[in-house]
């Protein structure tokens, strides 16, 4: 399979168990899932021989990987209560892969295969295998297997992570369901272009340009559908998790207050020493100091997820644009002012525009796209001194806006992916990868386009071209 256009899973520390052989094999499964997702996004049908090859590879992976894990567990003598269900999960994996071989219809197998491997990654590797690793480390540190098992079982599980994982599974299922329809649309478009090209040779260039725009519209529509699915799946669990967290916070405060009252009663009844011993064993002082910080971190994480959902909802259903004549110079000035905090000392922004024409646009949406590009330019300077140039001019029947920086620049591989949703070059936790994809969608909805040129180490330039008159244009 070809490399994926969108990778739903990016290898990160939370996949790692700390055992090199196991982690290396997990990494291969992540690559396999991303390749499946990439094939789904491309809309290209998978042939029966390709499907058979993928299932063969999955079987070989399972045989080697399961033998590695089971040998580790046996050598450490882990508790049978963990080894038994773990072995059964391995056997079930093999049985399901073999069941998929019984059908030769890829369209029937693929949706189930997407959900199956994603579920395995989410609920086995991120849960069962992490449990195994914790027990292996505990045994290595001196606990007996029964103690290691009990300690691991006492660890809580994060319901928010489970909800987000389910949303990703829904995402891949939606991709699989959309493939057949997209294939029909693309086939119809290609046939139409072929007929027009044969009949109207002189109009060939215009027809090819129209086909490209339609394909881009299809791609943006798929992104919108995927975003809608993720936002819907996350929103409901996010609401009850947030509400439950607030309730838990109140419960915790009441329980801590109760322990303080119990201490006073114990002192009054002459049992102060016993109470202090119990209080020390339970480490009440540490719990009281640590709980507020834990709740604050959880609340902050949920707020970040909520912000992502809002962006996804914007991608999913922008609706028909409410256009009005917008003076462009004030809009550019407002975008500069709104992004001032993203520029560090020593980073200079130069404006190269004067009187500009009025453009039919949605000022709020177009302003947010400009802000995303200015913010991206500031990030490209990576905290160092540098220059950002914002220039605009009228060129024919278009307004051309350029945002240029002399920052880190991009290689060709990075430049080819910058408009993909969730793609970011920033460290984990510092970027969501949605700003540029949202900007592209907004500009396209205005009948415009974005082009990029970049040289590693020398900087990048994003060029927006907007039509000055949309009377005869279609989105």
């Amino acid at each position: 399979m070809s490399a994926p256009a969108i990778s739903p899973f990016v290898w990160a520390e939370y996949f790692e168990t700390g055992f090199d052989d196991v982690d290396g094999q997990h990494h291969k499964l992540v690559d396999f899932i991303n390749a499946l997702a990439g094939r789904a996004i491309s809309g290209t049908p998978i042939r029966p021989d390709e499907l058979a090859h993928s299932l063969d590879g999955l079987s070989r992976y399972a045989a080697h990987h399961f033998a590695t894990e089971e040998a580790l567990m046996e050598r450490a003598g882990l508790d049978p209560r963990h080894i038994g269900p773990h072995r059964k999960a391995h056997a079930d994996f093999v049985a399901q892969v073999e069941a998929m071989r019984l059908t030769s219809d890829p369209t029937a197998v693929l949706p189930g295969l997407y959900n199956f491997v994603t579920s395995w990654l989410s609920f086995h590797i991120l849960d069962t295998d992490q449990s195994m690793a914790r027990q292996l480390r505990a045994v290595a540190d001196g606990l007996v297997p029964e103690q290691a098992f009990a300690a691991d079982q006492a660890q809580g599980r994060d319901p928010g992570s489970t909800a987000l994982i389910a949303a990703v599974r829904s995402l891949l299922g939606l991709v699989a369901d959309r493939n057949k329809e997209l294939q029909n649309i693309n086939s119809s478009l290609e046939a139409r272009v072929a007929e027009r090209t044969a009949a109207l040779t002189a109009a060939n260039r215009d027809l090819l340009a129209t086909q490209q725009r339609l394909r881009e519209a299809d791609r943006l529509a798929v992104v919108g559908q995927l975003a809608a699915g993720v936002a819907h799946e996350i929103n409901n669990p996010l609401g009850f998790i947030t509400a439950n967290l607030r309730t838990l916070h109140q419960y915790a405060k009441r329980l801590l207050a109760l322990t303080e009252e119990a201490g006073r009663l114990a002192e009054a009844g002459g049992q102060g020493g016993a109470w202090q011993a119990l209080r020390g064993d339970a480490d009440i002082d540490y719990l009281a100091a640590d709980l507020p910080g834990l709740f604050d971190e959880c609340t902050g994480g949920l707020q970040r997820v909520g912000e992502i959902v809002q962006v996804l909802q914007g991608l999913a259903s922008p609706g028909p644009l409410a256009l009005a004549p917008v003076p462009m110079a004030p809009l550019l000035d407002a975008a500069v002012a709104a992004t001032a905090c993203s520029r560090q000392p020593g980073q200079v922004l130069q404006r190269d525009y004067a009187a500009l024409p009025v453009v039919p646009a949605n000022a709020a949406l177009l302003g947010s796209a400009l802000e995303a590009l200015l913010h991206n330019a500031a990030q490209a300077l990576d905290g160092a001194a540098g220059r950002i140039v914002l220039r605009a001019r009228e060129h024919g029947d278009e307004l051309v806006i350029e945002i240029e920086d002399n920052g880190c620049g991009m290689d060709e591989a990075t430049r080819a992916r910058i408009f993909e949703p969730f793609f970011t070059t920033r460290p984990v936790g510092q970027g969501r990868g949605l700003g540029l994809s949202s900007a592209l969608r907004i500009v396209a909805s205005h009948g415009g386009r974005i082009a990029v040129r970049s040289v590693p180490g020398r900087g990048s330039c994003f060029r927006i071209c907007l039509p000055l008159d949309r009377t005869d244009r279609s989105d």
Side-chain angles (χ1 to χ4, degrees):
M1 296 184 198
S2 59
I6 295 177
S7 297
F9 292 100
V10 178
W11 184 263
E13 290 182 359
Y14 49 77
F15 286 111
E16 296 177 359
T17 63
F19 296 89
D20 292 342
D21 287 346
V22 173
D23 289 339
Q25 293 157 22
H26 286 172
H27 207 317
K28 290 180 181 179
L29 183 62
V30 171
D31 292 341
F32 177 82
I33 295 173
N34 285 336
L36 280 178
R39 187 55 176 269
I41 290 294
S42 73
T44 306
I46 187 169
R47 302 189 309 271
D49 61 321
E50 289 181 304
L51 179 61
H53 179 72
S54 296
L55 293 174
D56 286 341
L58 206 53
S59 295
R60 289 192 298 272
Y61 161 85
H64 178 60
H65 178 54
F66 296 163
T68 299
E69 286 192 349
E70 290 173 15
L72 280 172
M73 292 188 289
E74 291 293 341
R75 282 198 299 271
L78 293 192
D79 194 297
R81 289 173 293 176
H82 176 81
I83 294 180
H86 205 138
R87 284 184 181 277
K88 184 178 185 306
H90 288 172
D92 290 343
F93 182 102
V94 173
Q96 290 187 62
V97 172
E98 289 304 314
M100 292 179 193
R101 295 178 185 275
L102 299 180
T103 177
S104 59
D105 180 9
T107 61
V109 173
L110 279 179
L113 181 58
Y114 294 145
N115 281 331
F116 171 58
V117 293
T118 305
S119 296
W120 183 265
L121 175 69
S122 304
F123 298 108
H124 186 80
I125 291 179
L126 290 178
D127 189 358
T128 306
D129 283 357
Q130 293 295 332
S131 171
M132 173 194 72
R134 289 190 293 269
Q135 292 180 61
L136 289 172
R137 287 191 292 270
V139 170
D141 289 340
L143 290 184
V144 299
E146 293 80 7
Q147 292 173 326
F149 178 82
D152 186 72
Q153 290 298 300
Q155 253 187 241
R157 300 294 187 263
D158 180 10
S161 296
T162 302
L164 293 176
I165 289 165
V168 174
R169 293 177 58 201
S170 174
L171 171 72
L172 290 181
L174 180 61
V175 170
D177 292 338
R178 288 283 292 167
N179 269 350
K180 190 170 184 179
E181 180 184 349
L182 289 174
Q183 292 163 17
N184 293 337
I185 291 173
N186 286 336
S187 297
S188 175
L189 287 173
E190 290 170 1
R192 229 181 279 173
V193 169
E195 293 171 5
R196 292 283 185 108
T197 301
L200 303 168
T201 303
N204 185 49
R205 183 178 301 173
D206 292 338
L207 286 172
L208 291 176
T210 300
Q211 183 190 35
Q212 182 61 35
R213 286 196 298 272
L214 289 172
R215 284 179 173 169
E216 181 65 15
D218 282 341
R219 191 184 71 82
L220 292 174
V222 171
V223 171
Q225 290 290 333
L226 297 179
V230 172
H232 175 74
E233 291 294 334
I234 293 177
N235 239 345
N236 289 335
L238 182 63
F240 67 70
I241 291 170
T242 302
N244 288 347
L245 185 63
R246 285 195 293 265
T247 303
L248 286 172
H249 194 184
Q250 294 302 316
Y251 289 172
K253 290 195 292 186
R254 287 159 60 183
L255 287 172
L256 288 172
L258 181 62
T259 63
E260 293 302 317
E261 183 61 25
R264 286 192 290 273
L265 293 174
E267 291 285 351
Q271 298 296 318
W275 168 253
Q276 291 301 326
L278 290 172
R279 181 186 178 93
D281 289 341
D283 210 357
I284 294 297
D285 290 337
Y286 174 79
L287 293 179
D290 197 40
L291 275 173
L294 293 177
F295 281 117
D296 288 344
E297 289 178 4
C298 291
T299 301
L302 290 173
Q303 287 175 344
R304 180 170 172 80
V305 174
E307 291 169 2
I308 294 174
V309 169
Q310 287 183 344
V311 175
L312 289 176
Q313 288 172 329
L315 285 173
S317 55
L321 288 181
L323 301 180
V326 176
M328 289 306 297
L331 188 67
L332 294 176
D333 291 339
V336 170
T339 56
C341 61
S342 67
R343 294 184 287 278
Q344 303 298 315
Q347 297 177 356
V348 178
L349 187 141
Q350 300 176 359
R351 308 184 207 205
D352 183 9
Y353 55 87
L356 294 174
V358 169
V359 173
N362 182 297
L365 288 176
L366 190 55
S368 70
L370 293 169
E371 289 172 19
L373 292 170
L374 285 169
H375 181 68
N376 182 74
Q379 285 187 325
L381 299 178
D382 201 21
R387 184 188 73 254
I388 300 171
V389 179
L390 173 61
R391 63 176 68 92
R393 65 187 183 279
E394 189 174 351
H395 182 73
D397 60 352
E398 293 182 323
L399 176 69
V400 178
I401 304 170
E402 291 184 337
I403 299 174
E404 184 173 4
D405 65 75
N406 62 348
C408 59
M410 298 175 283
D411 57 27
E412 185 60 29
T414 301
R415 192 197 64 76
R417 298 191 60 191
I418 55 174
F419 292 114
E420 293 177 7
F422 303 107
F423 175 79
T424 179
T425 59
R426 308 298 295 173
V428 174
Q430 295 185 21
R432 296 176 303 200
L434 291 171
L436 293 182
S437 62
S438 179
L440 175 66
R441 186 173 180 83
I442 290 170
V443 170
S445 69
H446 282 75
R449 61 191 185 279
I450 300 180
V452 185
R453 65 176 186 272
S454 186
V455 178
R458 296 179 59 183
S460 305
C461 181
F462 287 75
R463 172 181 288 186
I464 302 173
C465 297
L466 296 169
L468 296 174
D469 181 3
R470 301 197 62 199
T471 304
D472 298 319
R473 295 174 183 265
S474 60
D475 291 345

